[in-house]
Amino acid sequence: MDKADFIHLVRLNEHASAENSGAYRRSLARFAALGYLWVVVCFVLAIVLLVMSGKALLQGPVKGYWVMLLLSGVGLLWSSVRALWLRLEAPEGSPLAPADAPLLFEALECIRKKTQGPPIHHVLLDSSFNASISQLPRFGLLGGATNYLTIGLPLLLALDRPRFLAVMAHEYGHLRGGHGQFAAWIYRTRMSWTKLYESMEEDAGLMAHATQTFLHWYFPRFMAKTFALARQDEYEADRIACKLLGRDVAGAALAEIAVKGAWLGREFWPLHWASAGRSLQPMGPFSAMRVLLTQPVRDDFARDALRQSLKEMSNLDDTHPVLRDRLEAMGARKELPQWSAKPAIDLLGASANTWLQRMDQQWCRDNASDWKLHHAYLRRVEERVQTLQASLLRNNADELTQLGDLKRRLDASADVRDCYVRALQLAPNHPGALRGMVRTLPDTDVAGRLDGLNRLVEVHAASTWWAASTAVQMLEPLVAAGQPYDPLLKQWRARLKQADEAERRAWNEMVDTRYFQSITRHDLNDFETGELQADLARCKPLRRAWLVRKNLQEFAYRRCYILFVELPGLPDGERYALCRSLERSLDLPGPVLVLWAGTDPTLQDIQKNTFDVTFARSVA
């Protein structure tokens, strides 16, 4: 099923759910039963084949077709048993017992009684800024489930007790009685089919092929049909939270999570990892997080983060609705909340400090290798800065721009404007220096920043999208505050729309043309190559990589790249996800398309057409 058909089927089921929820659920139950029926029929057929072929082989001469039937029965039985008794991995985290946090477990039991939900068998504490309920089927598609509640320690540090309990009520709402039991059963079935589908992709043999044929037909249709129920269940869980804690508390919790989640990602974690430059040994983050998360978020950051969250649109990549849709469904206000003053970590009672220390130590152990790599990376950046600083009077525009960029990478508040001024004196139309100059101007210098962005668009068409998106992001809050920039905002939005179309054409050209067409050796300098190799070294499944430059007609002078990677031992689904993650995370001078060595392109094709190996993992 292609993506367009999947989207169409999702929309049809959303309409069916809205028009007649009962009929939609009955239809969904019948389609889910079809999957169970297929497994049971395969199991019975496998037993019949084994009995028939085994009896024939024991009582008469050995004939080839009976042997084939016996092997087919074994393969079919194995596929059926895997489906019926597939075991899923439990979520990770440190177990919490009632003796560790009696107040927390009393609150959870109170919520359970009010929602008429089943008991939670395991409560786990982890390092994520999140909370989640997981139901793991005990025996694959059959049998009951084990319930896990995973609580992120940062969430306990960020929210006060009522808002944290609103989050718990939302999670417990997924297990509520009545319709919730049906939704929970569908959720477990989705997990089981997903795991089975992924685990059988690499299987070979006649019976495996027959099983894969059914799964390729059934699995995407089941996921599309159940998508509407999964999203509907999120709204129902929000309704439970509003009923138990009030819509104002539940809405404020969502808004505070959105803002503080953005703050953690954009300010806290970069600052924490920057301390690797001063210390080779990792430092635990949670003790500092406990202090900082109780302080009010800076007003301009908070307003921007909330505005960006409210602009997000729901999509089919996630069954969770976006913030705007959830707040509107609650009837809650779309505004910044009063910040939580007393964090909910007091629910852990006297053991709170012990858990903070334990989680800090665990984080240091888990991140020791990455911390050392980041320490080495920051040292390389510092050495490069020192080299460029020593030759300051001889540096060209590229080197001066790189000096400013690297200084800001080490310290986001560093005053590097002089680097870009000197670069522009040598090369007045240097796009990197123009971008750097715009970044260094204060937010209050709207005219200066817009002048720099206009100049960048005029001299470097490939930077139009960055310039337009920067201008729109800058002007939107000013217009919302009543300042007279509406005509300029409309102009930049029009530019952004045109730039989006150009970027889409450029990306389609990257993806649709033959992989080895219009490529040349990559143009990274020694420092950039070293940084790429360091980034690739962190990707543990990756064995080798080849980087080439891709020359595009849409943006003839843009630096674009294709990275071919060898990922042995991974299923295609994990390879796909890893390649998309690398495209987002790699720090290259231009966009990159990441492709793995498989059937197309093959490893032999890559080795033949891509010049030299860029990265190769050493084998101890």
Side-chain angles (χ1 to χ4, degrees), residues 533 536-537 542-546 566 613-619:
Q533 291 169 341
L536 295 177
L542 191 149
R543 178 180 293 174
R544 287 184 293 176
W546 297 258
E566 184 181 5
V613 175
T614 306
F615 169 82
R617 190 176 301 280
S618 58
V619 180

Side-chain angles (χ1 to χ4, degrees), residues 4 75 90 222 244 270 297 327 373 400 404 555:
F222 180 77
L244 296 186
V297 181
L327 292 176
L373 287 171
L400 287 165
F555 297 119

Side-chain angles (χ1 to χ4, degrees), residues 141-370:
L141 292 174
L142 300 180
T146 303
N147 300 320
Y148 291 82
L149 172 63
T150 305
I151 301 171
L153 180 60
L155 200 67
L156 283 164
L157 298 173
L159 301 180
D160 61 23
R161 187 182 296 191
R163 293 176 187 178
F164 172 77
L165 293 180
V167 176
M168 294 298 99
H170 169 93
E171 296 303 328
Y172 227 130
H174 292 301
L175 305 181
R176 66 198 180 279
H179 287 318
Q181 295 179 357
F182 177 76
W185 172 65
I186 290 295
Y187 167 78
R188 296 196 301 271
T189 307
R190 280 171 66 98
M191 289 182 62
S192 297
W193 281 118
T194 300
K195 183 68 174 179
L196 182 65
Y197 182 78
E198 292 173 350
S199 67
M200 297 198 68
E201 277 191 316
E202 304 295 322
D203 287 5
L206 180 61
M207 288 299 102
H209 177 71
T211 302
Q212 290 165 358
T213 299
F214 174 80
L215 287 177
H216 286 156
W217 176 84
Y218 180 81
F219 176 72
R221 287 166 175 79
F222 180 77
M223 298 301 283
K225 283 177 173 292
T226 56
F227 186 93
L229 179 66
R231 178 160 289 177
Q232 193 178 78
D233 190 55
E234 294 295 333
Y235 287 118
E236 185 63 22
D238 280 342
R239 189 187 68 80
I240 296 294
C242 291
K243 181 178 179 181
L244 296 186
L245 279 303
R247 68 179 183 184
D248 290 340
V249 172
L254 291 179
E256 188 165 14
I257 288 171
V259 173
K260 289 188 173 178
W263 179 84
L264 284 171
R266 286 155 52 183
E267 296 208 354
F268 177 82
W269 285 115
L271 186 64
H272 183 73
W273 279 96
S275 61
R278 303 186 299 273
S279 172
L280 181 60
Q281 299 302 318
M283 301 167 58
F286 299 111
S287 297
M289 196 182 291
R290 181 181 194 175
V291 176
L292 295 174
L293 280 176
T294 58
Q295 299 175 5
V297 181
R298 196 175 71 249
D299 190 64
D300 59 335
F301 181 96
R303 293 187 183 282
D304 178 68
L306 182 62
R307 184 172 58 254
Q308 295 301 323
S309 294
L310 292 173
K311 285 171 59 178
E312 293 177 357
M313 303 291 289
S314 295
N315 56 61
L316 300 185
D317 295 329
D318 189 357
T319 58
H320 288 83
V322 294
L323 178 63
R324 174 180 290 276
D325 293 345
R326 295 178 71 179
L327 292 176
E328 288 179 350
M330 289 179 177
R333 292 187 293 271
K334 297 188 284 288
E335 62 185 21
L336 288 176
Q338 293 290 324
W339 304 114
S340 297
K342 188 177 181 182
I345 195 171
D346 62 0
L347 287 169
L348 299 184
S351 64
N353 290 331
T354 302
W355 277 108
L356 276 170
Q357 295 173 5
R358 189 181 302 177
M359 296 295 285
D360 271 336
Q361 293 167 359
Q362 184 63 48
W363 190 93
C364 291
R365 288 192 295 269
D366 293 343
N367 293 275
S369 177
D370 284 343

Side-chain angles (χ1 to χ4, degrees), residues 445-477:
D445 188 2
V446 177
R449 299 185 74 193
L450 288 176
D451 181 65
L453 293 172
N454 275 309
R455 186 174 164 192
L456 180 59
V457 170
E458 292 171 2
V459 302
H460 196 245
S463 296
T464 301
W465 186 90
W466 182 88
S469 60
T470 300
V472 169
Q473 187 175 2
M474 175 178 62
L475 292 172
E476 280 183 339

Side-chain angles (χ1 to χ4, degrees), residues 506 510 523 547-552 555 557-562 589-593:
M510 284 265 286
D523 56 356
L547 182 72
V548 297
R549 177 166 175 171
K550 180 78 168 181
N551 300 305
L552 302 181
F555 297 119
Y557 300 104
R558 171 180 283 181
R559 299 170 74 180
C560 301
Y561 304 93
I562 297 181
V592 59
L593 172 67

